[in-house]
Amino acid sequence: MRQPIAFIMEDTLTTALKWFASGSGVVAALMVSLDSGRRVTGWGFVLFVASSIAWMAGAALTNDWALGSQNIALFAINIFGVYRYLIRKKADG
């Protein structure tokens, strides 16, 4: 039996989102763990934000609310990381 095209497209989108989320999360973790300075760490957090958004979208498409809620919390934490490393001026001292 052939599957409807809408189902195939949704499945392909979900798979692509999850692979992007996984790969970008790994790269972001590497960038943050290298401790190569505020700028690199800040851009690592930007990548974490993108990863969280992709995970939330993938979770919504698959009704995986545990994964979605986890990434809502991680999204907020990562936004704070972006603010801390890229936006806020470092205190002298």
Side-chain angles (χ1 to χ4, degrees):
M1 184 169 140
R2 294 181 65 186
Q3 295 179 344
I5 191 74
F7 178 77
I8 294 169
M9 294 289 288
E10 183 178 316
D11 189 48
T12 301
L13 175 63
T14 302
T15 300
L17 279 169
K18 287 183 174 183
W19 276 110
F20 170 77
S22 180
S24 61
V26 169
V27 172
L30 178 64
M31 290 172 73
V32 171
S33 70
L34 287 174
D35 195 21
S36 294
R38 295 181 66 78
R39 193 165 188 83
V40 172
T41 299
W43 282 105
F45 277 110
V46 169
L47 198 50
F48 269 139
V49 166
S51 178
S52 292
I53 291 169
W55 276 124
M56 288 186 287
L61 288 171
T62 59
N63 294 319
D64 188 345
W65 304 117
L67 180 63
S69 61
Q70 174 192 26
N71 277 281
I72 289 170
L74 291 173
F75 175 80
I77 293 165
N78 294 328
I79 288 290
F80 178 70
V82 170
Y83 168 75
R84 183 168 181 231
Y85 285 93
L86 290 180
I87 297 170
R88 182 180 75 174
K89 302 250 190 247
K90 186 174 179 184
D92 292 331

Coordinates of all heavy atoms in Angstrom, one line a residue:
M1 N 0.8 -1.2 0.0 CA 0.0 0.0 0.0 C 0.9 1.2 0.0 O 1.8 1.3 0.8 CB -0.9 0.0 1.2 CG -1.9 1.1 1.3 SD -3.0 0.8 2.6 CE -3.2 2.4 3.2
R2 N 0.6 2.2 -0.9 CA 1.4 3.4 -1.0 C 1.0 4.4 0.1 O -0.2 4.5 0.4 CB 1.2 4.0 -2.3 CG 1.8 3.1 -3.4 CD 1.7 3.7 -4.7 NE 2.4 5.0 -4.8 CZ 2.5 5.8 -5.8 NH1 1.7 5.6 -6.8 NH2 3.2 6.9 -5.8
Q3 N 1.9 5.1 0.7 CA 1.6 6.1 1.7 C 1.3 7.4 1.0 O 1.9 7.8 0.0 CB 2.8 6.3 2.6 CG 3.1 5.0 3.4 CD 4.4 5.3 4.3 OE1 5.1 6.2 4.1 NE2 4.5 4.4 5.3
P4 N 0.4 8.2 1.6 CA 0.1 9.5 1.1 C 1.4 10.4 1.1 O 2.2 10.3 2.0 CB -0.9 10.1 2.0 CG -1.4 9.0 2.8 CD -0.4 7.9 2.8
I5 N 1.5 11.3 0.1 CA 2.6 12.1 -0.1 C 2.8 13.1 1.1 O 4.0 13.3 1.5 CB 2.6 13.0 -1.4 CG1 3.9 13.7 -1.7 CG2 1.5 14.0 -1.4 CD1 5.0 12.8 -2.2
A6 N 1.7 13.5 1.7 CA 1.8 14.4 2.9 C 2.5 13.7 4.0 O 3.4 14.3 4.7 CB 0.4 14.9 3.3
F7 N 2.2 12.4 4.2 CA 2.9 11.6 5.3 C 4.4 11.5 5.0 O 5.2 11.6 5.9 CB 2.2 10.3 5.5 CG 2.9 9.4 6.5 CD1 2.6 9.6 7.8 CD2 3.8 8.4 6.2 CE1 3.3 8.9 8.8 CE2 4.4 7.6 7.1 CZ 4.1 7.9 8.5
I8 N 4.7 11.2 3.8 CA 6.1 11.0 3.4 C 6.9 12.3 3.6 O 8.0 12.4 4.1 CB 6.2 10.5 1.9 CG1 5.7 9.1 1.8 CG2 7.7 10.6 1.5 CD1 5.5 8.6 0.4
M9 N 6.3 13.5 3.2 CA 6.9 14.8 3.3 C 7.1 15.1 4.8 O 8.1 15.6 5.2 CB 6.1 15.8 2.7 CG 6.0 15.7 1.2 SD 7.5 16.1 0.4 CE 7.6 17.9 0.6
E10 N 6.1 14.8 5.7 CA 6.2 15.1 7.1 C 7.3 14.2 7.7 O 8.1 14.7 8.5 CB 4.9 14.8 7.8 CG 4.9 15.2 9.3 CD 3.5 15.0 9.9 OE1 2.5 15.4 9.3 OE2 3.5 14.4 11.0
D11 N 7.3 13.0 7.3 CA 8.4 12.1 7.9 C 9.8 12.6 7.5 O 10.7 12.5 8.3 CB 8.1 10.7 7.4 CG 9.0 9.7 8.1 OD1 9.1 9.7 9.3 OD2 9.6 8.8 7.4
T12 N 9.9 13.0 6.2 CA 11.2 13.5 5.7 C 11.6 14.8 6.5 O 12.8 14.9 6.9 CB 11.1 13.8 4.2 OG1 10.8 12.5 3.6 CG2 12.5 14.3 3.7
L13 N 10.6 15.7 6.7 CA 10.9 16.9 7.4 C 11.3 16.6 8.9 O 12.3 17.2 9.4 CB 9.7 17.8 7.4 CG 9.8 19.1 8.2 CD1 10.9 20.0 7.7 CD2 8.4 19.8 8.3
T14 N 10.6 15.7 9.5 CA 10.9 15.3 10.9 C 12.3 14.7 11.0 O 13.1 15.1 11.8 CB 9.9 14.3 11.4 OG1 8.6 14.9 11.3 CG2 10.1 14.0 12.9
T15 N 12.6 13.9 10.1 CA 14.0 13.2 10.1 C 15.0 14.3 9.8 O 16.1 14.3 10.6 CB 14.0 12.1 9.0 OG1 13.1 11.2 9.2 CG2 15.4 11.5 8.9
A16 N 14.8 15.2 8.9 CA 15.8 16.3 8.6 C 16.0 17.2 9.9 O 17.1 17.5 10.2 CB 15.4 17.1 7.4
L17 N 14.9 17.5 10.5 CA 14.9 18.4 11.7 C 15.7 17.7 12.8 O 16.6 18.3 13.4 CB 13.5 18.7 12.2 CG 12.8 19.8 11.5 CD1 11.3 19.8 11.9 CD2 13.4 21.2 11.8
K18 N 15.4 16.4 13.0 CA 16.1 15.7 14.1 C 17.6 15.5 13.8 O 18.4 15.7 14.7 CB 15.5 14.4 14.3 CG 14.1 14.5 15.0 CD 13.5 13.2 15.3 CE 12.2 13.3 16.1 NZ 11.7 11.9 16.4
W19 N 18.0 15.3 12.6 CA 19.4 15.1 12.2 C 20.1 16.5 12.4 O 21.3 16.6 12.9 CB 19.6 14.5 10.8 CG 19.6 13.0 10.9 CD1 18.6 12.2 10.4 CD2 20.5 12.2 11.5 NE1 18.9 10.9 10.7 CE2 20.0 10.8 11.3 CE3 21.7 12.4 12.2 CZ2 20.7 9.7 11.8 CZ3 22.4 11.3 12.7 CH2 21.9 10.0 12.5
F20 N 19.5 17.6 11.9 CA 20.1 18.9 12.1 C 20.2 19.2 13.6 O 21.3 19.7 14.0 CB 19.2 20.0 11.4 CG 19.7 21.4 11.8 CD1 20.8 21.9 11.2 CD2 19.0 22.1 12.8 CE1 21.2 23.2 11.6 CE2 19.4 23.3 13.2 CZ 20.5 23.9 12.6
A21 N 19.2 18.9 14.4 CA 19.2 19.2 15.8 C 20.4 18.4 16.5 O 21.1 19.0 17.3 CB 17.9 18.9 16.4
S22 N 20.5 17.2 16.1 CA 21.5 16.3 16.7 C 22.9 16.8 16.3 O 23.8 17.0 17.2 CB 21.3 14.9 16.2 OG 22.3 14.0 16.8
G23 N 23.1 17.0 15.0 CA 24.5 17.5 14.6 C 24.8 18.8 15.1 O 26.0 19.0 15.6
S24 N 23.9 19.8 15.1 CA 24.2 21.1 15.6 C 24.4 21.1 17.1 O 25.3 21.9 17.6 CB 23.1 22.1 15.2 OG 21.9 21.7 15.7
G25 N 23.7 20.3 17.8 CA 24.0 20.2 19.2 C 25.4 19.6 19.6 O 26.0 20.1 20.5
V26 N 25.8 18.7 18.8 CA 27.2 18.1 19.0 C 28.2 19.2 18.7 O 29.2 19.4 19.5 CB 27.4 16.9 18.1 CG1 28.9 16.5 18.1 CG2 26.5 15.7 18.6
V27 N 28.1 19.9 17.6 CA 29.0 21.0 17.2 C 29.0 22.1 18.3 O 30.1 22.6 18.7 CB 28.8 21.5 15.8 CG1 29.6 22.7 15.5 CG2 29.0 20.4 14.8
A28 N 27.8 22.5 18.7 CA 27.7 23.5 19.7 C 28.4 23.1 21.0 O 29.1 23.9 21.7 CB 26.2 23.8 20.0
A29 N 28.2 21.8 21.4 CA 28.8 21.3 22.7 C 30.4 21.4 22.5 O 31.1 21.7 23.5 CB 28.4 19.9 23.0
L30 N 30.9 21.0 21.3 CA 32.3 21.1 21.1 C 32.8 22.5 21.2 O 33.8 22.8 21.8 CB 32.6 20.5 19.7 CG 34.1 20.6 19.3 CD1 34.9 19.7 20.3 CD2 34.3 20.1 17.9
M31 N 32.1 23.5 20.6 CA 32.5 24.9 20.6 C 32.5 25.4 22.1 O 33.5 26.1 22.4 CB 31.5 25.7 19.8 CG 31.6 25.5 18.3 SD 30.3 26.3 17.4 CE 30.8 28.0 17.5
V32 N 31.5 25.1 22.9 CA 31.5 25.5 24.2 C 32.6 24.9 25.1 O 33.3 25.5 25.9 CB 30.1 25.3 24.9 CG1 30.1 25.6 26.4 CG2 29.1 26.2 24.2
S33 N 32.8 23.6 24.8 CA 33.8 22.8 25.6 C 35.2 23.2 25.3 O 36.1 23.1 26.1 CB 33.6 21.3 25.5 OG 34.0 20.9 24.2
L34 N 35.5 23.7 24.1 CA 36.8 24.1 23.7 C 37.3 25.3 24.6 O 38.5 25.5 24.7 CB 36.9 24.5 22.2 CG 36.9 23.3 21.3 CD1 36.8 23.8 19.9 CD2 38.1 22.4 21.5
D35 N 36.4 26.1 25.1 CA 36.8 27.3 25.9 C 37.8 28.2 25.1 O 38.8 28.6 25.6 CB 37.3 26.9 27.2 CG 37.4 28.0 28.2 OD1 36.7 29.0 28.0 OD2 38.2 28.0 29.2
S36 N 37.4 28.5 23.9 CA 38.3 29.3 23.0 C 38.0 30.8 23.0 O 38.3 31.5 22.1 CB 38.2 28.8 21.5 OG 38.6 27.5 21.4
G37 N 37.4 31.2 24.1 CA 37.0 32.6 24.2 C 35.5 32.9 24.2 O 34.8 32.0 23.8
R38 N 35.2 34.1 24.6 CA 33.8 34.4 24.8 C 33.0 34.4 23.4 O 31.9 34.0 23.4 CB 33.7 35.8 25.4 CG 34.2 35.9 26.8 CD 34.0 37.3 27.4 NE 32.6 37.7 27.5 CZ 31.8 37.3 28.5 NH1 32.2 36.5 29.4 NH2 30.5 37.7 28.5
R39 N 33.7 34.8 22.4 CA 33.0 34.9 21.1 C 32.7 33.5 20.6 O 31.5 33.2 20.1 CB 33.9 35.6 20.1 CG 33.2 36.0 18.8 CD 34.0 37.1 18.1 NE 33.3 37.6 17.0 CZ 32.4 38.6 17.1 NH1 32.1 39.2 18.2 NH2 31.8 39.0 16.0
V40 N 33.6 32.6 20.6 CA 33.3 31.2 20.1 C 32.3 30.5 21.0 O 31.4 29.9 20.5 CB 34.7 30.4 20.1 CG1 34.4 28.9 19.8 CG2 35.6 30.9 19.1
T41 N 32.4 30.7 22.3 CA 31.4 30.1 23.2 C 30.0 30.7 23.0 O 29.0 30.0 22.9 CB 31.8 30.4 24.7 OG1 33.1 29.7 24.9 CG2 30.8 29.8 25.7
G42 N 30.0 32.0 22.8 CA 28.7 32.7 22.5 C 28.1 32.1 21.2 O 26.9 31.9 21.2
W43 N 28.9 31.9 20.1 CA 28.3 31.4 18.9 C 27.9 29.9 19.1 O 27.0 29.4 18.4 CB 29.3 31.6 17.7 CG 29.2 33.0 17.3 CD1 30.1 34.0 17.5 CD2 28.1 33.6 16.5 NE1 29.6 35.2 16.9 CE2 28.4 34.9 16.3 CE3 26.9 33.1 16.0 CZ2 27.5 35.8 15.6 CZ3 26.1 33.9 15.3 CH2 26.4 35.3 15.2
G44 N 28.6 29.2 20.0 CA 28.2 27.9 20.4 C 26.8 27.9 21.0 O 26.0 27.0 20.6
F45 N 26.5 28.9 21.8 CA 25.2 29.0 22.4 C 24.2 29.4 21.3 O 23.0 28.9 21.4 CB 25.2 30.0 23.5 CG 25.6 29.4 24.8 CD1 26.8 29.8 25.4 CD2 24.8 28.5 25.5 CE1 27.2 29.2 26.6 CE2 25.2 27.9 26.7 CZ 26.4 28.3 27.2
V46 N 24.5 30.2 20.3 CA 23.6 30.5 19.2 C 23.3 29.2 18.5 O 22.1 28.9 18.2 CB 24.3 31.5 18.2 CG1 23.4 31.6 16.9 CG2 24.4 32.8 18.9
L47 N 24.2 28.3 18.3 CA 24.0 27.0 17.6 C 23.1 26.1 18.5 O 22.2 25.4 18.0 CB 25.3 26.4 17.3 CG 25.3 25.2 16.3 CD1 24.6 25.6 15.0 CD2 26.7 24.8 15.9
F48 N 23.3 26.2 19.8 CA 22.5 25.5 20.7 C 21.0 25.9 20.6 O 20.1 25.2 20.7 CB 22.9 25.6 22.2 CG 23.9 24.6 22.7 CD1 25.0 24.9 23.5 CD2 23.7 23.2 22.4 CE1 25.9 24.0 23.9 CE2 24.6 22.3 22.9 CZ 25.7 22.7 23.7
V49 N 20.8 27.3 20.5 CA 19.5 27.8 20.3 C 18.8 27.2 19.1 O 17.7 26.8 19.1 CB 19.5 29.4 20.3 CG1 18.2 29.9 19.8 CG2 19.8 29.9 21.6
A50 N 19.6 27.2 18.0 CA 19.0 26.6 16.7 C 18.7 25.1 16.9 O 17.7 24.6 16.4 CB 20.0 26.8 15.6
S51 N 19.6 24.4 17.6 CA 19.3 23.0 17.9 C 18.1 22.8 18.7 O 17.3 21.9 18.4 CB 20.5 22.4 18.6 OG 20.3 21.1 18.9
S52 N 17.9 23.6 19.7 CA 16.7 23.5 20.6 C 15.4 23.8 19.8 O 14.4 23.1 19.9 CB 16.8 24.5 21.7 OG 17.7 24.2 22.7
I53 N 15.5 24.8 18.9 CA 14.3 25.1 18.0 C 14.0 23.9 17.1 O 12.8 23.5 17.0 CB 14.5 26.4 17.2 CG1 14.6 27.6 18.1 CG2 13.5 26.5 16.1 CD1 15.0 28.9 17.5
A54 N 15.0 23.3 16.5 CA 14.8 22.1 15.7 C 14.2 21.0 16.5 O 13.3 20.3 16.0 CB 16.1 21.7 15.0
W55 N 14.8 20.7 17.7 CA 14.2 19.7 18.6 C 12.8 19.9 18.9 O 12.0 19.0 19.0 CB 15.1 19.5 19.8 CG 16.3 18.6 19.6 CD1 17.6 19.0 19.9 CD2 16.4 17.3 19.2 NE1 18.4 17.9 19.6 CE2 17.7 16.9 19.2 CE3 15.4 16.4 18.7 CZ2 18.1 15.6 18.8 CZ3 15.8 15.1 18.3 CH2 17.1 14.7 18.3
M56 N 12.4 21.2 19.2 CA 11.0 21.5 19.6 C 10.1 21.2 18.4 O 9.0 20.7 18.6 CB 10.9 22.9 20.1 CG 11.5 23.2 21.5 SD 11.2 24.8 22.1 CE 12.4 25.8 21.2
A57 N 10.6 21.6 17.2 CA 9.7 21.4 16.0 C 9.6 19.9 15.8 O 8.5 19.4 15.5 CB 10.4 22.1 14.8
G58 N 10.7 19.2 15.8 CA 10.6 17.7 15.7 C 9.7 17.0 16.7 O 8.9 16.1 16.4
A59 N 9.8 17.5 17.9 CA 9.0 17.0 19.0 C 7.5 17.3 18.8 O 6.6 16.4 19.0 CB 9.4 17.6 20.4
A60 N 7.2 18.5 18.3 CA 5.8 18.8 18.0 C 5.2 17.9 16.9 O 4.1 17.5 16.9 CB 5.7 20.3 17.6
L61 N 6.1 17.7 15.8 CA 5.6 16.9 14.7 C 5.4 15.4 15.1 O 4.6 14.7 14.5 CB 6.6 16.9 13.6 CG 6.7 18.3 12.8 CD1 7.9 18.3 11.8 CD2 5.4 18.5 12.1
T62 N 6.1 15.0 16.1 CA 5.9 13.6 16.5 C 5.2 13.4 17.9 O 5.1 12.3 18.4 CB 7.3 12.9 16.7 OG1 8.1 13.6 17.7 CG2 8.0 12.8 15.4
N63 N 4.6 14.5 18.4 CA 3.9 14.5 19.7 C 4.8 13.9 20.8 O 4.3 13.2 21.7 CB 2.6 13.7 19.6 CG 1.6 14.4 18.6 OD1 1.5 15.6 18.6 ND2 0.9 13.6 17.8
D64 N 6.0 14.3 20.8 CA 7.0 13.8 21.9 C 7.1 15.0 22.8 O 8.0 15.8 22.8 CB 8.3 13.4 21.2 CG 9.2 12.8 22.2 OD1 9.0 12.9 23.5 OD2 10.3 12.2 21.8
W65 N 6.2 15.1 23.8 CA 6.1 16.2 24.7 C 7.2 16.2 25.7 O 7.6 17.3 26.2 CB 4.7 16.4 25.3 CG 3.7 16.4 24.2 CD1 2.7 15.5 23.9 CD2 3.6 17.4 23.1 NE1 2.0 15.9 22.8 CE2 2.6 17.0 22.2 CE3 4.4 18.5 22.8 CZ2 2.2 17.7 21.1 CZ3 4.0 19.2 21.6 CH2 3.0 18.8 20.8
A66 N 7.8 15.1 26.1 CA 8.9 15.1 27.0 C 10.1 15.8 26.3 O 10.8 16.6 27.0 CB 9.2 13.7 27.4
L67 N 10.4 15.4 25.1 CA 11.5 16.0 24.4 C 11.2 17.5 24.1 O 12.1 18.3 24.3 CB 11.7 15.3 23.0 CG 12.8 15.8 22.1 CD1 14.2 15.6 22.8 CD2 12.8 15.1 20.8
G68 N 10.0 17.8 23.8 CA 9.7 19.2 23.6 C 9.8 20.1 24.8 O 10.4 21.2 24.8
S69 N 9.3 19.6 25.9 CA 9.4 20.4 27.2 C 10.9 20.5 27.6 O 11.3 21.6 28.1 CB 8.5 19.8 28.3 OG 9.0 18.5 28.6
Q70 N 11.7 19.5 27.5 CA 13.1 19.6 27.8 C 13.7 20.7 27.0 O 14.5 21.5 27.5 CB 13.8 18.2 27.6 CG 15.3 18.3 27.8 CD 16.0 17.1 27.2 OE1 15.5 16.4 26.3 NE2 17.2 16.8 27.8
N71 N 13.4 20.7 25.7 CA 14.1 21.7 24.9 C 13.5 23.1 25.0 O 14.2 24.1 24.7 CB 14.1 21.2 23.4 CG 15.2 20.3 23.2 OD1 16.4 20.7 23.0 ND2 15.0 19.0 23.3
I72 N 12.3 23.3 25.5 CA 11.9 24.6 25.9 C 12.8 25.2 27.0 O 13.2 26.3 27.0 CB 10.4 24.6 26.4 CG1 9.5 24.3 25.1 CG2 10.0 25.9 27.1 CD1 8.1 24.0 25.4
A73 N 13.1 24.3 28.0 CA 14.0 24.7 29.1 C 15.4 25.0 28.6 O 16.0 26.0 29.0 CB 14.0 23.6 30.2
L74 N 15.9 24.1 27.8 CA 17.2 24.3 27.2 C 17.3 25.5 26.3 O 18.3 26.2 26.3 CB 17.7 23.1 26.4 CG 17.9 21.8 27.2 CD1 18.2 20.6 26.3 CD2 19.1 22.0 28.2
F75 N 16.2 25.8 25.6 CA 16.1 27.0 24.8 C 16.4 28.3 25.7 O 17.1 29.2 25.3 CB 14.8 27.1 24.1 CG 14.6 28.4 23.3 CD1 15.2 28.5 22.0 CD2 13.8 29.4 23.8 CE1 14.9 29.7 21.3 CE2 13.6 30.5 23.1 CZ 14.2 30.7 21.8
A76 N 15.6 28.3 26.8 CA 15.8 29.5 27.7 C 17.2 29.6 28.3 O 17.8 30.7 28.3 CB 14.8 29.3 28.9
I77 N 17.8 28.5 28.7 CA 19.1 28.4 29.2 C 20.1 28.9 28.1 O 21.0 29.7 28.4 CB 19.5 27.0 29.7 CG1 18.7 26.7 30.9 CG2 21.0 26.9 30.0 CD1 18.7 25.2 31.3
N78 N 19.9 28.5 26.9 CA 20.8 28.8 25.8 C 20.7 30.3 25.4 O 21.7 30.9 25.0 CB 20.6 27.9 24.6 CG 21.0 26.5 24.9 OD1 21.9 26.2 25.6 ND2 20.2 25.5 24.3
I79 N 19.5 30.8 25.5 CA 19.3 32.3 25.2 C 20.1 33.1 26.3 O 20.7 34.1 25.9 CB 17.8 32.6 25.3 CG1 17.1 32.1 24.0 CG2 17.6 34.1 25.4 CD1 17.4 32.8 22.7
F80 N 20.1 32.6 27.5 CA 20.9 33.3 28.6 C 22.3 33.2 28.2 O 23.1 34.1 28.4 CB 20.6 32.6 29.9 CG 21.4 33.2 31.0 CD1 21.2 34.5 31.4 CD2 22.5 32.5 31.6 CE1 22.0 35.1 32.4 CE2 23.3 33.1 32.6 CZ 23.0 34.4 33.0
G81 N 22.8 32.0 27.7 CA 24.2 31.9 27.3 C 24.6 32.9 26.2 O 25.6 33.5 26.2
V82 N 23.7 33.0 25.2 CA 23.9 34.0 24.1 C 24.0 35.4 24.7 O 24.9 36.2 24.4 CB 22.8 34.0 23.1 CG1 22.9 35.1 22.1 CG2 22.8 32.7 22.3
Y83 N 23.1 35.7 25.6 CA 23.1 37.1 26.2 C 24.5 37.2 27.0 O 25.2 38.2 26.9 CB 22.0 37.2 27.2 CG 22.1 38.4 28.1 CD1 21.9 39.7 27.6 CD2 22.5 38.3 29.4 CE1 22.1 40.8 28.4 CE2 22.7 39.4 30.2 CZ 22.5 40.6 29.7 OH 22.7 41.7 30.6
R84 N 24.8 36.2 27.8 CA 26.0 36.3 28.6 C 27.3 36.5 27.8 O 28.2 37.2 28.2 CB 26.1 35.1 29.5 CG 27.2 35.1 30.5 CD 27.0 34.1 31.6 NE 28.2 34.2 32.5 CZ 28.9 33.2 32.8 NH1 28.7 32.0 32.4 NH2 29.9 33.4 33.7
Y85 N 27.4 35.7 26.8 CA 28.7 35.7 26.0 C 28.8 36.6 24.8 O 29.8 37.0 24.4 CB 29.0 34.2 25.6 CG 29.5 33.4 26.8 CD1 28.5 32.6 27.5 CD2 30.8 33.4 27.1 CE1 29.0 31.9 28.6 CE2 31.2 32.6 28.2 CZ 30.3 31.9 28.9 OH 30.7 31.1 30.0
L86 N 27.6 37.0 24.2 CA 27.7 37.8 23.0 C 27.1 39.2 23.2 O 27.5 40.1 22.5 CB 26.9 37.1 21.9 CG 27.6 35.9 21.3 CD1 26.8 35.4 20.2 CD2 29.0 36.2 20.8
I87 N 26.2 39.4 24.2 CA 25.5 40.7 24.3 C 26.0 41.5 25.5 O 26.4 42.7 25.3 CB 24.0 40.5 24.4 CG1 23.5 39.8 23.1 CG2 23.3 41.8 24.6 CD1 22.1 39.3 23.1
R88 N 26.0 40.9 26.6 CA 26.4 41.6 27.9 C 27.9 41.9 27.8 O 28.7 41.1 27.4 CB 26.1 40.7 29.1 CG 26.5 41.4 30.4 CD 26.2 40.4 31.6 NE 27.2 39.4 31.7 CZ 27.3 38.5 32.6 NH1 26.4 38.5 33.6 NH2 28.3 37.7 32.6
K89 N 28.2 43.1 28.3 CA 29.6 43.5 28.4 C 30.3 42.8 29.6 O 29.6 42.7 30.6 CB 29.7 45.0 28.6 CG 29.1 45.8 27.5 CD 30.2 46.5 26.7 CE 29.5 47.4 25.7 NZ 29.7 47.1 24.4
K90 N 31.5 42.3 29.4 CA 32.2 41.6 30.5 C 32.6 42.6 31.5 O 33.1 43.7 31.2 CB 33.4 40.9 30.0 CG 34.1 40.0 31.0 CD 35.2 39.2 30.4 CE 35.9 38.4 31.5 NZ 37.0 37.7 31.0
A91 N 32.3 42.3 32.8 CA 32.7 43.2 33.9 C 34.2 43.3 34.0 O 34.9 42.2 33.9 CB 32.1 42.7 35.2
D92 N 34.7 44.4 34.3 CA 36.1 44.6 34.5 C 36.5 44.0 35.8 O 35.8 44.1 36.8 CB 36.5 46.1 34.4 CG 36.4 46.7 33.0 OD1 36.5 45.9 32.0 OD2 36.1 47.9 32.9
G93 N 37.7 43.4 35.8 CA 38.2 42.9 37.1 C 38.4 41.5 37.2 O 38.4 40.5 36.8

